[in-house]
Amino acid sequence: MNSTEAVASSATSKSAQTRQRILDAAAEVLSRKGYAGTRLSDVAQVAGVQAPAIYYYFSSRDELVEEVMWVGANRVRLHLAEVLAALPEDTSCMDRLMVAVDAHLRFELQLSHYATASIRNAGHVPEQLRIRPAAEEALYSRLWRELFAEAQQAGEVRADLDINMFRLLLLGAMNWVVEWWNPRTRSLDELVATAQAMVRTGAGAV
Amino acid sequence: MNSTEAVASSATSKSAQTRQRILDAAAEVLSRKGYAGTRLSDVAQVAGVQAPAIYYYFSSRDELVEEVMWVGANRVRLHLAEVLAALPEDTSCMDRLMVAVDAHLRFELQLSHYATASIRNAGHVPEQLRIRPAAEEALYSRLWRELFAEAQQAGEVRADLDINMFRLLLLGAMNWVVEWWNPRTRSLDELVATAQAMVRTGAGAV
DNA sequence: CTGGGATTCTAACCCATATTAGATTCCACC
DNA sequence: GGTGGAATCTAATATGGGTTAGAATCCCAG
């Protein structure tokens, strides 16, 4: 095995898998219990290791938390970018917004504890842990700003609407869902449809 | 001074004032730093006492936090109820909703650190601290449910809209504002107007 | 004044949890 | 099958911050 192969295979080596298990466990616990309620012992238990083993992969609890937050913000952004890129060229601006709402909600509620952890704890972790995740969130915001700006320029969003504030309110509505969502009692399709209605007939030109 | 007077004046006695200062300080720090970031020493400093003095009025940090959360939820509810009760009898359902949006946002952003503390930390404090505040929040939710239900019955909200989900999304949008609001760079009037637009032309019948 | 409860302080304590030390096990390769 | 580094464990340590003890101070009633 040469060094190139070593690097390539390292992604699935036992070591890398353990690191991944720990990171996944941290994301799950953080999304469920929040920053204040997350013990390293909880994370270790979910990951199936003893707490000190975490220090073989992360230099501190905060570094672990920071990485979860960054991965969460990063994945949400990449997911949305991917979904938007896959749309036909002639998709209308409003339809793009609808797809974005759909993608954001389904990703945060179904696909990623990282996203949930990132959203719930963004405002609750120490300042220094927010720097790298905040950069990702800024890029994510830019995607949404562009969607709204283009929709407004195309006349598909009312010209007199403050799209910056509307965007912040909409993302807030969708982010807050993690605080009350219960997959057993609510339909995700219904949620997506309602959120889309909030935008379409809320921001759409008559 | 008889005992009745003693009780009456106790509300403004030095002792009661100190207790109030501590509670106010806790609300302020909690709203700014969140549950995880709130040290008793921070609260004490803001209140102008030493940390152990807090224990003369509250039996533990968690009891102090719980009281802040309850007061926050309680005040928001009473404020909205009051504002709604003051409206003319013939106010339309949609106008009542607009007033409610206005009241919620202005109260949480201008009038009450308690409200902000309550909103930001509801999902981040230990389970046992949520019981009493949750009861208040349930009553608050009921106010909003009634507003939406009446508006839908009156035909001022589209019949096919899932008003429960819409309400949760709307309250989420407004609650999340505390995560990004900066009074120096944004206009509160503009915010209120945008949130109202989100409801009116979003949920309103055409 | 002054005595005594109310209030607040200083100094200590404790305890949960993050972190480190050092021993041990695992495992790929010779 | 031995050997050396990687990975993980057990046991101990460190420390921030909530909490308690007991002394000091305040302040009003008599």
Side-chain angles (χ1 to χ4, degrees):
Chain A
M1 180 184 290
N2 65 34
S3 68
T4 303
E5 282 167 349
V7 168
S9 78
S10 73
T12 53
S13 70
K14 179 135 182 289
S15 169
Q17 282 182 327
T18 304
R19 187 193 142 93
Q20 194 60 48
R21 267 208 336 276
I22 291 169
L23 206 59
D24 288 350
E28 197 275 323
V29 176
L30 276 168
S31 74
R32 189 158 40 84
K33 298 193 171 185
Y35 180 72
T38 296
R39 306 279 103 85
L40 276 188
S41 54
D42 300 334
V43 174
Q45 184 164 15
V46 172
V49 296
Q50 296 297 316
I54 293 171
Y55 286 86
Y56 187 77
Y57 298 99
F58 301 91
S59 68
S60 72
R61 171 182 189 263
D62 278 355
E63 189 194 289
L64 172 60
V65 171
E66 198 238 28
E67 174 131 356
V68 168
M69 307 270 293
W70 181 82
V71 169
N74 179 253
R75 286 194 189 171
V76 169
R77 175 173 73 85
L78 294 183
H79 179 69
L80 179 58
E82 200 174 310
V83 166
L84 289 175
L87 289 177
E89 279 294 330
D90 61 348
T91 308
S92 76
C93 290
M94 182 54 75
D95 282 347
R96 285 179 182 275
L97 272 173
M98 296 298 101
V99 167
V101 167
D102 183 288
H104 181 101
L105 287 172
R106 289 187 197 277
F107 192 76
E108 93 177 15
L109 295 177
Q110 286 196 309
L111 299 175
S112 178
H113 287 139
Y114 290 84
T116 314
S118 178
I119 289 168
R120 289 200 69 200
N121 298 301
H124 290 261
V125 299
E127 292 291 346
Q128 63 208 80
L129 304 194
R130 304 185 194 182
I131 301 169
R132 223 164 44 109
E136 277 296 322
E137 283 154 27
L139 291 175
Y140 189 60
S141 284
R142 178 187 288 190
L143 285 179
W144 281 92
R145 251 199 306 276
E146 287 168 1
L147 284 172
F148 272 104
E150 287 165 12
Q152 195 169 48
Q153 278 157 27
E156 297 177 42
V157 159
R158 292 209 321 272
D160 64 339
L161 188 74
D162 184 329
I163 53 175
N164 266 318
M165 251 172 207
F166 192 92
R167 170 179 56 84
L168 289 165
L169 285 167
L170 173 64
L171 281 171
M174 295 195 295
N175 285 343
W176 194 264
V177 171
V178 299
E179 302 289 340
W180 54 266
W181 182 248
N182 180 342
R184 270 183 277 285
T185 62
R186 312 256 178 199
S187 149
L188 183 52
D189 289 342
E190 187 84 25
L191 171 69
V192 170
T194 307
Q196 287 173 332
M198 192 173 225
V199 177
R200 187 188 284 280
T201 45
V206 182
Chain B
M1 182 186 288
N2 66 34
S3 67
T4 304
E5 283 168 349
V7 168
S9 77
S10 75
T12 53
S13 70
K14 178 134 181 289
S15 170
Q17 282 181 327
T18 303
R19 187 194 142 93
Q20 194 61 48
R21 265 207 338 275
I22 292 169
L23 205 59
D24 288 350
E28 196 275 323
V29 176
L30 276 168
S31 75
R32 188 157 41 82
K33 298 193 172 184
Y35 180 72
T38 295
R39 305 278 103 86
L40 276 188
S41 53
D42 300 333
V43 174
Q45 185 165 13
V46 173
V49 296
Q50 295 299 315
I54 293 171
Y55 286 85
Y56 187 76
Y57 299 98
F58 301 92
S59 67
S60 72
R61 171 181 189 262
D62 278 357
E63 189 193 290
L64 172 60
V65 171
E66 198 239 28
E67 175 131 354
V68 168
M69 306 271 292
W70 182 82
V71 169
N74 179 254
R75 285 193 188 171
V76 169
R77 175 173 73 83
L78 294 182
H79 179 68
L80 178 58
E82 201 174 310
V83 167
L84 290 176
L87 289 177
E89 279 294 328
D90 62 348
T91 307
S92 76
C93 290
M94 183 53 76
D95 283 346
R96 284 177 184 277
L97 272 172
M98 296 300 101
V99 167
V101 167
D102 184 287
H104 181 102
L105 287 173
R106 289 187 197 278
F107 192 77
E108 91 177 17
L109 295 178
Q110 285 196 312
L111 299 175
S112 178
H113 287 140
Y114 289 86
T116 313
S118 177
I119 288 168
R120 288 199 70 200
N121 298 300
H124 289 261
V125 300
E127 291 291 346
Q128 65 208 77
L129 303 194
R130 304 185 194 182
I131 300 170
R132 224 164 45 109
E136 276 298 323
E137 283 154 27
L139 291 174
Y140 189 61
S141 283
R142 177 188 286 190
L143 285 178
W144 281 92
R145 252 200 307 277
E146 287 168 2
L147 285 172
F148 272 104
E150 287 165 12
Q152 194 169 47
Q153 278 157 28
E156 298 178 40
V157 160
R158 291 208 322 272
D160 65 339
L161 188 75
D162 184 330
I163 53 175
N164 267 316
M165 251 172 207
F166 192 92
R167 169 179 56 85
L168 289 164
L169 284 167
L170 172 64
L171 282 170
M174 295 195 296
N175 285 343
W176 194 264
V177 170
V178 299
E179 301 290 339
W180 54 266
W181 181 248
N182 181 342
R184 270 182 276 283
T185 61
R186 312 257 177 198
S187 149
L188 183 51
D189 289 341
E190 187 84 24
L191 172 69
V192 170
T194 307
Q196 287 172 334
M198 191 174 225
V199 177
R200 188 189 283 279
T201 46
V206 183

